[in-house]
Amino acid sequence: MKKNLIVCPVCKGSIDSTDLIKMTCSSCQNSYPLLSGSVPVIVPDAYAFVTNAYLQYERILSERTADLQKLKALIGGGYDRLGSTVEKLELAHSTNNDILRGIADALKQYVSTDSLKDAYLQDKPMQQNYLFNYSYLIRDWGGEPNGEAEIQVISKNIIDTLEKHGLNKEEDGILFLGAGMGRIAYEVNNHCNINSYAVDNSVTMAYLFDKISKEDLPFFEINLKNIEKSDDLAVKRLASKKFAKSDRSNDRDISYFVGDASKLPFSDNSLSAVVSVYFTDVIPLPMLIKEARRVLKTNGIFIHFGPLEYHHDDIRFMYSLEETKLMFSRQEFSVGDHQTVVMPHCRVSSTDMYKTYRVWLFVAEKQTLPQKIKGSTMISIKRNVDYFQKGEIGAETDKLHSSLVVGINDVFEG
């Protein structure tokens, strides 16, 4: 983990990453788990996060164990399913469950009895989809022709955009939001002379990227719908870096960590680019823009590539593309024209089930903020606002603090 940009998400103090068990903030002494000695979990209240994640994995493992027992009961139980098919499905589930068990055990090291007492299982929309989603594993590291074609389209667009903006220097830093299995970051990192960081809120994604960077990973693609041949119900796969044929080799590692895109562990004005591939629609846009603006240098760029399908359920923040670009403009970004690309997403040949997305590519460049409002500043308001004043007025005291709220997350204080 590069130490020059990574900071504590709580107090923005520097993080000591020399310990192979945990990382500790030198200022507030908050510590952050280091799964398997190499996957940092850098979120506020990290141990509560890890405990909840551990409970999620244990629950899904329990559910899958029960499913395996149901499968075993089919053999000789009077049902018409072939014993060989059931046995193959049993092997597939067992193999994939072993991967989940490895992740759960990595988390368990940081779970205490006291934390379990205080914990409660937090279910978030679509969270279980990312506990173990082999469609991304197949696309990124499975060597599938369909997946490789998608990866090359995305990577080329990102690389071309970075080069167009002159971002190919050693002092530049680039962050990939919602990095998933990490293939896009890997391709860009291998092509560009730039320091690469990747973040995802899914422990599975970060853990498996780290594992594949060290060794090949056998797993099964399990398909239970729209299958013509029984052999395609469970297809043995291999995830490997050998399937990535980059133009040139780069000896710089990608710093990949589990993190929260709304509370990034980066210092202010520290990054040259933030890349959002299929992620701008995952968290509410005001939070995303605010944090992207904070970590980007002046003239740094935010690259959006993806649809706006929305993976949250807050209708206030389900914007059109036009509104999305306008939101960036209102936060002092210069937003360029968008391009449209139509392409399949995570297409798997055995089922031939996939989505075709109309994705958009646009770039928003961070501009210098206007000067802060001072006591003598005159302002003109063109829409309804909320105005608050609080403080003390007395014979010897005259302290007033004003807050002007002009929109979500737009608060001017003085």
Side-chain angles (χ1 to χ4, degrees):
M1 176 63 67
K2 306 176 185 72
K3 295 191 291 183
N4 56 328
L5 301 183
I6 302 297
V7 298
C8 172
V10 176
C11 74
K12 300 298 185 287
S14 62
I15 293 180
D16 178 10
S17 59
T18 58
D19 192 334
L20 295 181
I21 302 298
K22 62 183 179 180
M23 305 167 68
T24 304
C25 174
S26 58
S27 298
C28 68
Q29 299 305 307
N30 273 322
S31 63
Y32 301 94
L34 199 58
L35 304 181
S36 303
S38 52
V39 183
V41 180
I42 315 179
V43 298
D45 206 358
Y47 287 88
F49 175 92
V50 165
T51 299
N52 183 69
Y54 169 72
L55 292 174
Q56 289 277 3
Y57 287 102
E58 288 294 347
R59 181 174 72 175
I60 196 170
L61 279 166
S62 176
E63 292 171 352
R64 290 192 173 187
T65 299
D67 288 340
L68 278 177
Q69 294 303 318
K70 293 177 183 177
L71 277 173
K72 291 178 181 179
L74 291 179
I75 300 177
Y79 292 92
D80 292 333
R81 297 208 75 166
L82 295 174
S84 58
T85 300
V86 173
E87 289 171 358
K88 189 174 183 180
L89 281 170
E90 181 184 351
L91 175 62
H93 281 287
S94 296
T95 301
N96 290 355
N97 286 354
D98 286 343
I99 297 173
L100 287 179
R101 172 49 60 195
I103 301 172
D105 288 346
L107 292 166
K108 188 177 181 180
Q109 179 182 359
Y110 299 98
V111 176
S112 66
T113 303
D114 288 340
S115 66
L116 285 173
K117 288 179 182 177
D118 297 334
Y120 63 96
L121 201 56
Q122 300 177 36
D123 281 319
K124 297 179 181 178
M126 302 186 72
Q127 188 173 39
Q128 283 216 14
N129 286 359
Y130 300 106
L131 285 179
F132 187 71
N133 189 320
Y134 49 72
S135 61
Y136 287 99
L137 196 54
I138 295 169
R139 186 199 71 173
D140 283 15
W141 303 107
E144 270 268 310
N146 294 326
E148 289 300 312
E150 181 184 350
I151 290 296
Q152 294 312 312
V153 170
I154 298 172
S155 300
K156 186 178 187 306
N157 275 283
I158 302 303
I159 291 168
D160 288 350
T161 301
L162 291 170
E163 292 182 344
K164 181 180 178 181
H165 286 79
L167 299 181
N168 198 15
K169 302 182 290 294
E170 287 190 16
E171 62 267 27
D172 290 325
I174 181 172
L175 172 65
F176 295 85
L177 298 176
M181 293 293 176
R183 179 66 187 279
I184 304 299
Y186 179 87
E187 290 293 324
V188 175
N189 183 66
N190 277 350
H191 186 87
C192 299
N193 190 30
I194 193 168
N195 291 314
S196 299
Y197 303 83
V199 60
D200 203 296
N201 200 239
S202 166
V203 175
T204 298
M205 299 291 189
Y207 178 92
L208 291 183
F209 173 79
D210 178 68
K211 192 171 184 65
I212 294 166
S213 69
K214 300 171 182 174
E215 61 187 19
D216 291 349
L217 178 68
F219 69 102
F220 276 85
E221 171 200 341
I222 300 174
N223 305 301
L224 301 177
K225 298 179 181 179
N226 202 44
I227 296 301
E228 180 181 358
K229 298 178 181 179
S230 296
D231 283 346
D232 290 334
L233 286 166
V235 181
K236 191 171 184 179
R237 296 278 189 181
L238 182 71
S240 174
K241 283 178 65 176
K242 69 183 181 185
F243 296 125
K245 300 178 178 64
S246 299
D247 294 335
R248 64 185 176 92
S249 176
N250 193 327
D251 59 0
R252 286 192 316 277
D253 292 330
I254 298 171
S255 294
Y256 198 132
F257 56 90
V258 179
D260 184 345
S262 66
K263 299 180 181 66
L264 292 169
F266 287 88
S267 52
D268 297 354
N269 310 305
S270 58
L271 296 169
S272 300
V274 172
V275 176
S276 175
V277 175
Y278 284 82
F279 185 77
T280 308
D281 52 4
V282 173
I283 66 173
L285 189 60
M287 290 192 295
L288 182 68
I289 296 178
K290 179 182 178 182
E291 196 65 352
R293 178 170 185 84
R294 182 185 68 78
V295 300
L296 280 172
K297 301 174 182 177
T298 300
N299 299 324
I301 59 173
F302 179 94
I303 304 174
H304 164 85
F305 185 97
L308 295 173
E309 189 178 20
Y310 294 110
H311 298 257
H312 59 76
D313 54 8
D314 194 330
I315 63 172
R316 296 177 300 168
F317 307 123
M318 294 182 178
Y319 300 103
S320 65
L321 174 65
E322 183 180 25
E323 289 175 303
T324 299
K325 294 172 68 175
L326 181 60
M327 288 286 289
F328 275 94
S329 298
R330 286 176 174 171
Q331 295 300 320
E332 304 301 329
F333 281 87
S334 173
V335 185
D337 294 335
H338 66 269
Q339 303 173 34
T340 302
V341 182
V342 178
M343 58 188 296
H345 179 57
C346 290
R347 181 175 183 176
V348 179
S349 57
S350 54
T351 63
D352 215 27
M353 291 176 64
Y354 60 94
K355 287 185 177 181
T356 296
Y357 278 116
R358 177 182 60 182
V359 303
W360 295 294
L361 168 66
F362 71 80
V363 177
E365 183 176 322
K366 176 181 173 180
Q367 305 297 300
T368 304
L369 272 175
Q371 291 186 347
K372 291 185 177 181
I373 294 177
K374 301 178 180 179
S376 60
T377 301
M378 299 295 291
I379 60 175
S380 175
I381 305 298
K382 296 183 179 180
R383 56 181 175 175
N384 293 335
V385 300
D386 292 323
Y387 177 75
F388 303 93
Q389 261 193 338
K390 61 181 180 180
E392 301 176 9
I393 299 179
E396 300 179 359
T397 305
D398 187 0
K399 296 180 179 179
L400 289 175
H401 185 89
S402 303
S403 297
L404 190 65
V405 184
V406 298
I408 297 171
N409 288 338
D410 298 335
V411 181
F412 297 92
E413 296 184 345

